Amino acid sequence: VYKVLRLPALISIVLGTAIVLPLDVSRAAEITGKGLYKYCKACHGSRGEGGQEGKYPRIAGMPQSYIEQQLHNFKALERVNKPMIPIFKDQRFDAPLIEMVATYIARMSEPSLNLWPYKPAADALSQFDSRAEFNAQGEEIFQQDCAQCHGADARGKPDKETPPLVNQYPVYLEKQIDDFIAGRRENEHCNKRFGELNPAKREALFNYLVELGK
């Protein structure tokens, strides 16, 4: 025996389906992003916390737009990183898949890297008359050279596709400075300004960023 549905009941079912469907699609996209993350896990960790004491950066919770842009740069070899080359060579990472995994990474909870307190090299500290002067130098460098793009709190600006600098390994940040100086990464401002940072000033900057993120 078939039960004849009245129009209001039928509308309710249709509307209910229309409401549930986007949630199901969103859930499927999240699972797909999680599945794609398996290509990142070996280097960046199961929680996106990075690895090998900063050889690989923390990526969890970074702005989606920044992650997407970097993945496209790696794919186009505009930014060269050896571990990334085989991933894009052997897998079909097109724009929709890049967006999925970037969305998943951006939604990951930001892990604590326990970077504080920062222990600067003794040689760097010896270049300053006091620890207070060392601390002040780090703040000055950040405010003059970094804050405009990365924000006053160093947490990045998604609209400018600039990443956070806090809660990031100083070892990784130093590698990026070297890459900008050598032209392995391109940013007109960074390529110019980082060449003026001697080791002592770099240490002061890293110390300030760790203090900001503690």
Side-chain angles (χ1 to χ4, degrees), residues 140-151:
E140 181 181 338
I141 293 170
F142 176 78
Q143 295 299 333
Q144 288 184 352
D145 297 333
C146 311
Q148 183 176 353
C149 292
H150 294 278

Side-chain angles (χ1 to χ4, degrees), residues 3-188:
K3 184 177 181 180
V4 178
L5 292 174
R6 294 180 179 276
L7 185 58
L10 183 60
I11 292 174
S12 176
I13 290 174
V14 172
L15 289 178
T17 302
I19 292 172
V20 172
L21 183 58
L23 296 178
D24 292 341
V25 171
S26 175
R27 176 64 175 165
E30 182 180 351
I31 293 172
T32 302
K34 184 177 181 179
L36 292 169
Y37 186 73
K38 68 182 181 181
Y39 297 103
C40 315
K41 189 181 297 185
C43 293
H44 295 285
S46 60
R47 298 179 296 113
E49 73 275 18
Q52 296 189 27
E53 299 182 349
K55 179 178 180 180
Y56 302 107
R58 182 271 293 185
I59 57 176
M62 285 195 167
Q64 178 184 339
S65 59
Y66 175 75
I67 298 170
E68 278 193 56
Q69 184 58 58
Q70 298 314 301
L71 289 175
H72 281 291
N73 289 348
F74 284 127
K75 182 178 180 180
L77 294 179
E78 293 175 4
R79 182 180 175 188
V80 178
N81 181 279
K82 289 183 179 179
M84 302 294 290
I85 292 174
I87 293 176
F88 288 106
K89 182 179 179 181
D90 300 334
Q91 306 297 328
R92 185 184 64 85
F93 267 82
D94 55 16
L97 294 186
I98 286 176
E99 182 180 0
M100 284 183 186
V101 73
T103 299
Y104 176 76
I105 293 169
R107 290 176 178 173
M108 296 173 80
S109 298
E110 182 180 321
S112 174
L113 304 183
N114 298 317
L115 301 174
W116 188 90
Y118 184 66
K119 298 179 181 178
D123 289 347
L125 280 176
S126 68
Q127 303 299 310
F128 299 89
D129 293 334
S130 66
R131 185 62 187 249
E133 183 183 339
F134 175 75
N135 294 343
Q137 177 71 89
E139 181 175 8
E140 181 181 338
I141 293 170
F142 176 78
Q143 295 299 333
Q144 288 184 352
D145 297 333
C146 311
Q148 183 176 353
C149 292
H150 294 278
D153 57 358
R155 292 202 167 272
K157 293 184 177 181
D159 59 319
K160 291 188 175 183
E161 295 183 352
T162 55
L165 300 180
V166 294
N167 200 26
Q168 187 59 272
Y169 299 97
V171 169
Y172 176 75
L173 295 176
E174 180 147 30
K175 172 64 165 57
Q176 303 320 297
I177 289 176
D178 289 337
D179 285 351
F180 280 120
I181 293 173
R184 290 186 291 268
R185 291 193 68 176
E186 289 295 332
N187 180 287
E188 184 177 353

Side-chain angles (χ1 to χ4, degrees), residues 199-214:
K201 290 182 177 180
R202 290 189 188 190
E203 289 282 82
L205 175 60
F206 301 150
N207 177 75
Y208 180 71
L209 291 173
V210 169
E211 288 291 324
L212 275 182
K214 72 178 180 180

